Amino acid sequence: MKLNFRMRLVLASSWRLDVIGTNSSHGVIGQLQSKQVDFSLTPLSVQPERMSIYDPTIEIARGKFYTMFRHPRYALERNIFLAPFESMIWIAIVIVLCCITALFTVVFVVERRTTNALSVALLHSLGILAQQPVVVPGRMALAGEKVLLLAMFGCCMLLFQYYSSFIIGYQLIVQPKTIHTLEQLIATGMPVSIENLYYNRDFFMRTKDPIAIDLYRRRVLPNENAYLNVSTGIALVRKGGHAFHCDTAYAYTHVLETFTERQVCDLQYVTLYPHRVLHIPVAKGSPLKELFKGQLQIIRESGILAYQQARYFAARPRCIKDSHRTEPVQLFDVVSAFVLLAGGMVCSCFLLLVELVFRWVQLRLRKQ
């Protein structure tokens, strides 16, 4: 309307970034480089390989591409029940436990309390470590044993306080988000899907970034849902345990419509490649270049461009936290304890079966 000319719209099937430099007429790129059109209503980003095909005008928007996912509650590198102490402390606890068990064994052998001194001493040490001491019948304990018991009770009480307070506090608070880079995302083993757009495929075909290539080979290619549309990808993100790389301009709309407040607070974003500045491209050497620059600058300064961006580009959903909400403890949080119990029960049944067979063989040999 400002420049007083009419337009005849030509619909292109895709960007067809793969035809750059081939003098093709396919897609937006082909139509611009063959000059079948004067300009493109579809904005394009400025890339080095495209500078010889079209002339950019001015920035009208920024393409914001993120890899979004629901941050797992536990992003630790080891089990939650091992998290309260560092590895060196666990090693020190095991060494001290072995030394205490050896001393108790010597005491029980000297006092002749039991025939199975080593096993009883080990059970005694583990009971004190877990604040559940085992009473061993026998004579009055020696003075050295009493001092050893008091020292071990004090040490284990302090360790138990640190351990239990960490476990309880870690279960009740909202966990911090620790995944901030692509390397950390790859290490989680989470499958990654890509929005099914041509420029996303073109990026992975052209990129030389070793981290992006590693992400594509290890997390995208093995995934059966490698390329998805936005609604399907956001639905997988909402379920959890899945990452989706997309243009957030319209992805945020799906998030606002389908996610709960807690799911919105779980969202985490990782950048695969920087934000791209989008221009209205015109054919190479077109006289419309300077005219478009001037008129688009007027539109930008008058606030019309900002209004359109606020209208069509959804803002990032805000996390509204409830200060009175507590995090429930789920089965996944304590599954390690049940696994330990199940393993102990299986070992116990196996040893019991071996003892019964051994006892039965002994009885048969005695009768013979």
Side-chain angles (χ1 to χ4, degrees), residues 64-71 179-182 184-186 188 190-195 200 203-204 212 215-216 219-220 233-234 237 242-248 251-252 266-275 316:
K64 297 181 180 180
F65 306 91
Y66 286 107
T67 304
M68 64 172 61
F69 55 93
R70 288 184 61 190
H71 196 283
I179 304 175
H180 302 286
T181 63
L182 286 178
Q184 294 173 338
L185 178 61
I186 295 172
T188 61
M190 190 181 302
V192 179
S193 297
I194 308 297
E195 184 182 359
N200 283 330
F203 168 77
F204 287 108
L215 174 74
Y216 186 73
R219 296 292 172 255
V220 178
I234 295 299
V237 173
H242 198 97
F244 183 56
H245 176 77
C246 60
D247 186 350
T248 57
Y252 286 155
D266 290 341
L267 280 179
Q268 179 70 344
Y269 305 88
V270 176
T271 303
L272 178 59
Y273 47 80
H275 298 168
R316 176 182 291 191

Side-chain angles (χ1 to χ4, degrees), residues 341-353:
L341 177 61
M345 294 174 63
V346 170
C347 292
S348 176
C349 292
F350 175 75
L351 293 176
L352 178 61
L353 180 62

Side-chain angles (χ1 to χ4, degrees), residues 134-172:
V134 179
V135 178
V136 180
R139 294 177 296 176
M140 182 65 66
L142 298 177
E145 182 183 357
K146 293 179 180 179
V147 173
L148 182 62
L149 284 173
L150 290 176
M152 189 174 181
F153 269 119
C155 177
C156 294
M157 181 184 67
L158 293 177
L159 291 175
F160 187 78
Q161 291 298 322
Y162 283 115
Y163 186 87
S164 59
S165 60
F166 178 90
I167 292 293
I168 294 173
Y170 198 86
Q171 293 287 350
L172 295 180

